Amino acid sequence: MDQHVLPVPIGGTTALETGTGPGDLTDALRSARAYAMAEKSAATRRAYASDWDHFRAWCYSHAVAPLPAAVETVAAYLASLADARLKASTIMRRTAAIAYAHRLAGSPPPTAAEPTKAVLRGIRRRVGVAVEQKAPATARAITAMLKGIPDTMQGRRDRALLLIGFAAALRRSELVALTVADLERTPEGVVIHIRRSKTDQEGEGHQVAVPIGGKLRPVQALDAWLSAAAITEGPVFRAVNRGGRVAAGALSDHAVADIVKRRAAAAGLDTRQFSGHSLRAGFVTSALESGADLLKVMDVTRHREVRTLKAYDRRAKAFRDHAGRKFL
């Protein structure tokens, strides 16, 4: 491959990546590579890097070229993943990584060829594409979790994290990215400024209102945590050691899932059913169960399509006006 073609930022070694380029193009190409890297989120780049490395290793072990890869090579690779009983979602992500690498290298993606598409359709039919659904942390579940949280530094952090994550329907990445500067105080509550999210990679930003509330009182829990931890700037949610010492840096997104599971266990709930996404899903389910309008729910969740919420709506109303209610 021509070394002046923008390299795949998830693999390969070129003059650009080693910093040795000809003439006046070196700095400009290095800058171009940085912009190309910024196209995807850090999490997506990590996933694609892992997927691309796996594909390259498979290709080398079978003495075939990974870039550009032949259609037959990709079809055989995808079939091997299905035979190894990988989830359909994992196979689809690895397919996307292969396509992305080829596009960046200026090569036609072999994943777009009809033989490859046929293999993928067959995998979907045989393996299935159903996603394992975690339980939503509804208002009832959140209330149960809160009852067992002690009034310690870690407890105040967890209480605030659960309630803000639930009340603002935040993703794990959004929760841990929150800073004090993102909190706008109003007489009615707090407006959270979300600088960047999964569906807003270009950083247009969104605002989510969190009311003071009369039952769960999320803003009160947030203020109690910030005051106790003496946090006036920087990350809102931070690690707390056993001695109650608060770290300077933000929590990891994996820590959010751990906190949800730990508090669910303390409340006697099945931890296998909960994840970091349960807070966001719990708000949607609770709002729809209470009769909230779909568009109002979307104001909080920032979903772009109504159909995305329809699955939650069906779950929330599964037993309301059930067709068999008069004879079952």
Side-chain angles (χ1 to χ4, degrees):
M1 183 176 66
D2 187 338
Q3 68 181 17
H4 299 310
V5 173
L6 187 67
V8 181
I10 50 178
T13 300
T14 69
L16 174 56
E17 289 174 309
T18 57
T20 58
D24 298 330
L25 288 179
T26 301
D27 290 342
L29 285 173
R30 186 178 293 111
S31 179
R33 179 174 183 268
Y35 283 120
M37 293 281 284
E39 178 196 14
K40 302 291 184 183
S41 70
T44 299
R45 289 201 305 272
R46 286 194 297 270
Y48 278 13
S50 176
D51 292 338
W52 178 246
D53 285 345
H54 187 275
F55 176 63
R56 286 199 306 168
W58 185 91
C59 287
Y60 294 148
S61 70
H62 290 79
V64 292
L67 185 67
V71 172
E72 293 79 5
T73 296
V74 176
Y77 171 70
L78 297 177
S80 73
L81 298 181
D83 290 343
R85 299 184 181 277
L86 267 68
K87 293 181 179 179
S89 59
T90 301
I91 296 173
M92 300 310 156
R93 193 194 65 224
R94 289 188 176 175
T95 303
I98 294 169
Y100 182 60
H102 280 74
R103 285 196 299 271
L104 282 177
S107 298
T111 55
E114 184 56 33
T116 308
K117 290 182 177 180
V119 171
L120 288 173
R121 287 194 294 269
I123 289 173
R124 290 191 186 98
R125 285 178 62 86
R126 286 198 178 183
V127 178
V129 294
V131 178
E132 181 184 359
Q133 295 290 338
K134 295 295 185 180
T138 61
R140 291 186 296 276
I142 292 292
T143 299
M145 293 182 195
L146 295 177
K147 288 180 179 178
I149 297 180
D151 189 26
T152 60
M153 188 66 76
Q154 190 180 81
R156 290 175 182 174
R157 191 269 319 273
D158 290 358
R159 179 181 293 271
L161 184 145
L162 291 176
L163 285 172
I164 293 300
F166 172 77
L170 297 178
R171 300 178 177 89
R172 295 183 306 172
S173 58
E174 295 167 350
L175 258 178
V176 299
L178 280 183
T179 68
V180 174
D182 297 328
L183 307 177
E184 178 187 343
R185 304 287 176 168
T186 74
E188 294 84 9
V190 171
V191 176
I192 295 178
H193 293 263
I194 301 172
R195 309 295 177 183
R196 191 181 298 273
S197 67
K198 177 181 177 181
T199 56
D200 178 28
Q201 292 298 319
E202 295 185 4
E204 293 181 6
H206 292 95
Q207 293 79 45
V208 177
V210 177
I212 292 174
K215 295 181 179 179
L216 296 177
R217 301 181 184 276
V219 176
Q220 183 181 79
L222 174 65
D223 289 341
W225 155 244
L226 293 176
S227 175
I231 296 174
T232 58
E233 61 181 3
V236 171
F237 295 111
R238 312 178 183 196
V240 179
N241 66 19
R242 293 182 179 179
R245 184 180 180 85
V246 180
L251 282 174
S252 70
D253 58 352
H254 295 294
V256 174
D258 292 340
I259 290 170
V260 172
K261 287 179 175 292
R262 184 168 66 250
R263 295 309 177 186
L269 303 174
D270 185 355
T271 59
R272 295 172 299 178
Q273 295 297 314
F274 291 89
S275 69
H277 184 70
S278 293
L279 300 178
R280 179 172 168 82
F283 174 86
V284 176
T285 302
S286 298
L288 294 175
E289 284 180 344
S290 69
D293 181 78
L294 274 174
L295 295 180
K296 289 293 185 181
V297 176
M298 290 174 69
D299 284 343
V300 179
T301 65
R302 294 152 285 126
H303 281 101
R304 295 180 177 179
E305 300 286 343
V306 173
R307 64 183 179 182
T308 307
L309 292 182
K310 286 296 185 180
Y312 292 101
D313 198 28
R314 286 193 294 271
R315 179 188 178 105
K317 298 177 180 176
F319 294 98
R320 189 183 304 172
D321 296 327
H322 190 281
R325 70 187 185 282
K326 293 184 178 180
F327 58 84
L328 292 178

